[in-house]
Amino acid sequence: MMSSAVSVYVTPVKPSMCSAVRALQVRPGQGAYAGDAALNLASAQDDPQSEAMAVIADDGVVGFYRLDFTHNAIIGRHLGAPSVGVRAFLIDARQQGRGIGQRAAVALCEDVRRRHPDRRLLLLLVHCRNLAGIAVYRKAGFIDTGELFGGGRAGPQHLMLRSLQAAAAAMGQSPDG
């Protein structure tokens, strides 16, 4: 059941949030899509080209994702515009079904557009069987390119993209701020 009264925002993980991020759990079967929050947090903290991000709702940490600023992030090639990859997006199992994931995905896009104005494109891979994830990303403005990547733990993955310029234009702003 979706509650519109819940305020959802994203922020870089602060040291005081790390134990809450490590405690995040997904539902059985979802681990193949998002992985383990504690391992992904450690990986992001160890990588200078990554940024660990927390999803906040009801004044608490309810989700996590990792921004990947590597030149050829996610798919191993440049897409013609400065991009950011999104990895390990997850909402805690106890918080799922409240509409937090969709609002967090929208907040993620706006956060990158605002804090990293040089970036023009967000990209991510989502497993073909992760129908809930695909729906969340589509509602947040990502498009499915139709390109599939193999090799994921849960099988083939869709490449999804979102233009940050389109987000700015839709809000009546110039892409540069």
Side-chain angles (χ1 to χ4, degrees):
M1 183 167 165
M2 189 157 129
S3 170
S4 60
V6 173
S7 172
V8 176
Y9 67 96
V10 300
T11 186
V13 173
K14 297 167 187 63
S16 62
M17 298 174 175
C18 289
S19 61
V21 169
R22 287 185 200 100
L24 296 171
Q25 298 290 317
V26 293
R27 291 185 176 154
Q30 291 178 332
Y33 304 144
D36 178 84
L39 292 174
N40 282 308
L41 173 61
S43 181
Q45 290 173 323
D46 289 342
D47 182 353
Q49 293 293 316
S50 288
E51 187 172 22
M53 298 293 297
V55 177
I56 310 295
D58 295 330
D59 297 320
V61 175
V62 299
F64 172 83
Y65 61 93
R66 173 181 173 183
L67 295 176
D68 183 342
F69 294 93
T70 307
H71 176 66
N72 290 330
I74 309 294
I75 59 171
R77 72 175 191 272
H78 186 62
L79 291 173
S83 63
V84 178
V86 179
R87 297 183 180 275
F89 184 93
L90 67 90
I91 301 297
D92 188 79
R94 296 164 292 210
Q95 302 296 327
Q96 292 179 17
R98 298 176 61 201
I100 292 171
Q102 179 185 340
R103 284 183 273 168
V106 170
L108 173 166
C109 297
E110 291 308 310
D111 174 69
V112 171
R113 189 183 68 75
R114 182 179 37 71
R115 290 189 313 116
H116 303 284
D118 60 314
R119 302 299 169 139
R120 296 289 179 246
L121 191 63
L122 282 168
L123 65 149
L124 57 83
L125 294 174
V126 60
H127 290 42
C128 293
R129 293 185 312 212
N130 185 356
L131 301 180
I134 292 168
V136 161
Y137 297 128
R138 281 187 175 144
K139 288 177 184 175
F142 284 83
I143 58 165
D144 188 339
T145 66
E147 189 172 355
L148 294 178
F149 286 78
R153 290 182 303 192
Q157 303 169 77
H158 293 268
L159 172 61
M160 298 187 81
L161 304 175
R162 179 160 188 225
S163 169
L164 296 172
Q165 292 173 313
M171 296 179 70
Q173 302 172 359
S174 74
D176 297 314

